[in-house]
């Protein structure tokens, strides 16, 4: 899922301090799972903003809502009758949700309430880590199911580099060396042949390097 | 074995001599005279001079520009290229430029992560990795093609090198990865600085067992320690470096004013010992900001004068 973390409240205050009515809009999708932008975080941010502006003796009405998803027009549409009552929306969705809110309500000021971080997994309660960079052409079949693009700091396709030490990456002793993981996994599977074969330069056209991406599934279109 | 390119390094190795290479780190300014000065110190005592490419991700004068200066002084440069800062377009362009100036040696590297350098917030590229850069140079030289398939009329004539760190983990992968670089087209290898002799010889044994020493010339990396502080720093702070405590103890065991000399003694002894190590074809002496000691090391190690192959 897409991981995000709440922005510092000062950053949000800076954008809305001259307004009177703000709607904090959460998303019950990915950002709710990583505890950055679901209903609970909407309540926390709204309370914090009310307290902040009360201390400043500044009038500020803060509304609260959380949508099923903000990356879907159907759910964004639920705000149609309500959004006009506010000066701005602080969206706690990922970057995609914030932008889709902007496109849906093009007269409204929309501010992000979280920093969108990565596509990853829940390691344990309160700990999340990256697994995928959405390169658009998955090579997990050849690397034992461990992604060198998201797990190697240099995204090497023929690693590990000379900085690999005791299973850790040169950039940080807390970061696992993705290529050591790949090697161990392929060895365990009896597939070291895959490791021994040089991987040629990757075609990055399907990743962000290829420009804004779009996909169409004809049979799903109305 | 006969040389296929005009590279002096290739000719020296093909003639069966032990090769001696060293390196010159360009300045963090536009002071080209400093490059010349360093090249003049080491040039007469070695076969070719490596020019580092923004080593440790610190911005320095470009490797290609420095190589051109060195070439114009009459010495032979090795163009070090990392894939950290340029994509396949920039890298191929610079290889063509190097070819146009008669630069005949290239060392293909991935490069240190920019978090270690003076611009930790910089974006990295890593469009290719070092193995893929080797493949690219080989394609350009042997097939006269760019990665796009475009055919060129004049090809860059490069003797292709790569680095290998026998001390990185997992240890058993290192020879496999070397084999991959050789399969990709690497013809010479300059190793990481060697301090742990035992581990290095273990690695060399595997290299010989795999028959890789028949396909690639291994030049052993030698870096003299200037001080106890440097030894401790290399041990704890430099990624992929293996400095045994015995080296630090030996440096600590002499009077302060003799530490640098002891560092040189260790380097000379390492060369003498490795001359006997099966598979070793030469030495890469990296005297970091201490180029003036290279002549002494080469002479004392019995590697001077250098053979004339041209």
């Amino acid at each position: 899922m897409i991981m995000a973390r709440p922005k510092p409240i000062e950053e949000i205050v800076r954008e809305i301090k001259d307004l009177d009515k703000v709607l904090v809009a959460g998303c019950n999708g990915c950002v709710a799972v990583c505890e950055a932008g679901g209903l609970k975080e909407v309540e926390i941010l709204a309370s914090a903003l009310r307290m902040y502006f009360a201390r400043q003796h500044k009038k500020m009405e803060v509304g609260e809502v959380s949508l099923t998803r903000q990356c879907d027009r159907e759910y964004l549409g639920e705000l149609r009758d309500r959004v006009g009552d506010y000066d701005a929306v602080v969206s706690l969705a990922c970057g995609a949700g914030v932008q889709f809110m902007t496109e849906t309500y093009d007269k409204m000021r929309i501010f992000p309430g979280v920093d969108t971080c990565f596509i990853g997994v829940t390691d344990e309660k309160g700990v999340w880590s990256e697994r995928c960079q959405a390169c658009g052409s998955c090579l997990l079949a050849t690397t034992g199911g461990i992604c060198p693009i998201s797990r190697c700091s240099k995204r090497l396709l023929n690693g590990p580099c000379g900085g690999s030490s005791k299973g850790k990456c040169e950039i940080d002793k807390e970061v696992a060396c993705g290529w050591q993981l790949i090697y161990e996994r392929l060895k365990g599977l009896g597939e070291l042949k895959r490791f021994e074969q040089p991987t040629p330069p990757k075609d990055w056209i399907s990743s962000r390097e290829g420009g804004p991406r779009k996909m169409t599934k004809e049979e799903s279109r109305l | 074995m006969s040389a296929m390119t005009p590279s002096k390094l290739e000719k020296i190795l093909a003639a069966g001599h032990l090769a001696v290479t060293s390196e010159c780190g360009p300045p963090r300014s536009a002071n080209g005279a400093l490059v010349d000065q360093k090249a003049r110190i080491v040039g007469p005592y070695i076969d070719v001079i490596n020019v580092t490419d923004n080593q440790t991700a610190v911005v320095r004068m470009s490797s290609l520009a420095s190589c051109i200066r060195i070439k114009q002084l009459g010495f032979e440069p090795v163009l070090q290229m990392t894939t950290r800062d340029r994509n396949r377009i920039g890298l191929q362009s610079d290889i063509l430029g190097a070819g146009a100036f008669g630069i005949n040696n290239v060392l293909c590297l991935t490069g240190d992560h920019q978090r270690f350098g003076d611009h930790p917030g910089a974006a990295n590229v890593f469009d290719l990795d070092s193995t893929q850069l080797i493949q690219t140079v080989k394609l350009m030289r042997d097939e006269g093609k760019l990665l796009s398939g475009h055919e060129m009329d004049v090809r860059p004539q490069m003797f292709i090198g790569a680095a290998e760190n026998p001390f990185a983990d997992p240890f058993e992968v290192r020879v496999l990865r070397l084999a991959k670089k050789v399969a990709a087209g690497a013809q010479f290898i300059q190793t990481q600085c060697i301090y742990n002799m035992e581990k290095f010889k273990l690695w060399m044994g595997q290299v010989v067992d795999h028959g890789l020493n028949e396909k690639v010339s291994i030049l052993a990396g030698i870096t003299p320690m200037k001080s106890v502080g440097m030894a401790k720093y290399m041990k704890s702070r430099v990624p992929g470096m293996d400095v045994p405590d015995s080296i630090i103890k030996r440096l600590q065991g002499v009077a302060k004013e003799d530490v640098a000399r002891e560092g040189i003694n260790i380097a000379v002894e390492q060369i003498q010992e490795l001359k006997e190590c099966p598979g070793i074809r030469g030495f890469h002496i990296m005297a970091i900001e201490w180029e003036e000691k290279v002549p002494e090391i080469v002479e004392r190690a019995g590697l001077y004068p250098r053979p004339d192959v041209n």
Side-chain angles (χ1 to χ4, degrees):
Chain A
M1 97 199 88
I2 295 169
M3 301 298 175
R5 77 165 74 86
K7 275 190 177 290
I9 189 164
E10 305 76 42
E11 210 177 307
I12 298 170
V13 165
R14 196 169 62 219
E15 300 301 336
I16 64 170
K17 62 182 187 330
D18 299 325
L19 308 175
D20 299 324
K21 294 172 87 176
V22 168
L23 177 64
V24 177
C27 175
N28 296 339
C30 313
V31 291
V33 181
C34 63
E35 301 176 28
L39 186 58
K40 190 177 80 188
E41 291 73 34
V42 168
E43 290 169 5
I44 293 168
L45 177 61
S47 308
L49 288 173
R50 285 186 201 109
M51 277 166 57
Y52 175 85
F53 286 107
R55 276 205 299 272
Q56 306 289 316
H57 305 293
K58 160 87 177 77
K59 177 176 166 281
M60 178 66 77
E61 189 183 324
V62 183
E64 299 176 23
V65 69
S66 197
L67 305 174
T68 304
R69 287 198 294 276
Q70 291 194 26
C71 52
D72 218 316
R73 284 197 201 283
E74 182 190 341
Y75 301 114
L76 283 171
E78 292 169 7
L79 292 182
R80 182 144 286 122
D81 298 333
R82 218 179 142 183
V83 78
D85 299 339
Y86 295 91
D87 301 323
V89 176
V90 174
S91 165
L92 300 193
C94 69
V98 175
Q99 293 183 65
F100 219 31
M101 177 83 82
T102 304
E103 291 170 39
T104 308
Y105 300 109
D106 59 352
K107 300 281 190 296
M108 182 60 53
R109 295 184 190 90
I110 314 285
F111 300 115
V114 302
D115 288 314
T116 308
C117 299
F118 51 80
I119 301 176
V121 298
T122 307
D123 285 326
E124 56 187 270
K125 177 81 177 142
V127 181
W128 299 273
S129 61
E130 182 168 20
R131 289 293 184 279
C132 177
Q133 292 190 354
C135 72
S137 61
C138 191
L139 41 75
L140 286 170
T142 61
T143 55
I146 296 164
C147 173
I149 296 165
S150 55
R151 308 293 295 278
C152 167
S153 300
K154 298 176 179 174
R155 69 173 193 193
L156 305 185
L157 298 184
N158 294 288
C161 75
S164 178
S165 176
K166 300 183 177 66
K168 301 299 181 189
C169 173
E170 67 177 28
I171 67 158
D172 189 333
K173 286 191 172 55
E174 297 300 310
V175 175
C177 167
W179 270 101
Q180 168 128 21
L181 297 176
I182 292 169
Y183 174 74
E184 297 296 346
R185 170 94 174 137
L186 288 175
K187 192 160 97 174
L189 293 172
E191 290 186 14
L192 275 183
K193 274 268 166 276
R194 292 189 189 273
F195 179 87
E196 289 161 11
Q197 213 60 300
T199 304
K202 181 174 167 67
D203 185 347
W204 294 102
I205 195 82
S206 56
S207 80
R208 63 157 187 90
E209 275 82 358
R213 291 173 279 179
K214 184 168 188 155
M215 54 184 200
T216 309
K217 189 173 178 185
E218 283 304 332
E219 58 272 37
S220 298
R221 305 189 77 185
L222 296 175
Chain B
M1 211 181 349
S2 67
M4 307 295 287
T5 72
S7 159
K8 181 175 163 191
L9 180 58
E10 185 177 13
K11 285 178 189 162
I12 282 183
L13 290 166
H17 301 294
L18 279 174
V20 182
T21 65
S22 184
E23 69 175 25
C24 151
R28 299 175 70 183
S29 76
N31 189 349
L34 267 179
V35 176
D36 302 356
Q37 197 186 321
K38 286 185 173 183
R40 285 197 179 101
I41 293 170
V42 298
Y45 289 84
I46 61 174
D47 305 320
V48 291
I49 307 172
N50 281 51
V51 182
T52 53
D53 179 9
N54 297 300
Q55 79 265 30
T56 62
V58 168
V59 174
R60 292 172 181 274
M61 186 185 295
S62 100
S63 175
L64 177 53
S66 307
C67 280
I68 292 168
R69 286 191 77 108
I70 289 172
K71 174 92 186 173
Q72 287 172 346
L73 287 178
F75 300 115
E76 183 159 326
V78 177
L79 175 68
Q80 294 199 184
M81 295 188 103
T82 72
T83 62
R84 178 191 58 231
D85 309 321
R86 284 162 291 181
N87 66 9
R88 63 190 81 183
I89 299 172
L91 290 165
Q92 291 181 98
S93 165
D94 282 351
I95 293 162
L96 295 179
F101 277 95
I103 291 166
N104 297 118
N105 308 285
V106 61
L107 188 78
C108 302
L109 306 165
T110 298
D112 296 314
H113 200 279
Q114 72 279 2
R115 273 178 58 168
F116 298 107
D118 61 347
H119 293 71
N124 59 36
V125 180
F126 297 124
D127 174 26
L128 304 182
D129 61 25
S130 53
T131 305
Q132 294 162 342
L133 180 58
I134 295 166
Q135 291 174 320
T136 304
V137 182
K138 186 175 162 64
L139 177 78
M140 293 171 78
R141 182 194 65 193
D142 293 351
E143 296 181 43
K145 284 182 185 164
L146 300 180
L147 284 171
S148 62
H150 170 82
E151 291 193 23
M152 61 189 99
D153 51 358
V154 179
R155 306 171 180 194
Q157 302 250 332
M158 295 291 179
F159 187 46
I160 305 173
E164 191 53 53
N165 181 6
F167 310 105
D169 294 325
F171 182 65
E172 58 188 292
V173 163
R174 306 326 303 187
V175 165
L176 289 179
R177 190 160 182 256
L178 173 65
K180 219 155 146 174
K181 288 184 176 181
V182 173
Q187 297 166 290
F188 70 97
I189 296 291
Q190 291 169 322
T191 77
Q192 174 71 287
C193 318
I194 302 160
Y195 298 106
N196 186 339
M197 278 290 188
E198 201 181 328
K199 195 163 183 184
F200 180 75
K201 286 181 176 173
L202 204 59
W203 178 78
M204 265 319 288
Q206 292 181 11
V207 169
V208 172
D209 288 347
H210 281 74
L212 290 172
N213 57 314
E214 304 291 327
K215 299 176 183 161
V216 70
S217 300
I218 310 270
L219 311 185
I222 304 289
T223 291
M225 293 290 195
K226 223 172 174 174
S227 63
V228 174
M230 173 182 173
K232 286 183 173 168
Y233 180 83
M234 299 265 264
K235 183 182 176 71
S236 60
R237 304 293 295 277
V238 180
M241 199 69 76
D242 184 344
V243 182
D245 290 332
S246 57
I247 295 274
I248 296 173
K249 285 205 185 92
R250 183 165 162 190
L251 293 171
Q252 284 170 330
V254 301
K256 197 156 188 248
E257 61 274 20
D258 293 330
V259 170
R261 192 187 328 190
E262 194 64 7
I264 301 288
N265 290 342
I266 294 172
V268 171
E269 288 168 26
Q270 284 172 330
I271 294 176
Q272 300 291 17
E273 187 177 342
L274 289 172
K275 275 186 184 175
E276 309 302 321
C277 179
I280 291 294
R281 300 292 316 279
F283 298 93
H284 181 48
I285 304 167
M286 296 164 276
I288 302 159
E289 294 302 323
W290 211 19
E291 287 85 356
E292 68 272 21
K293 291 294 176 190
V294 170
E296 182 188 335
I297 295 171
V298 175
E299 284 193 311
R300 284 181 53 196
L303 295 166
Y304 188 79
R306 301 304 309 143
D308 185 1
V309 287
N310 284 316

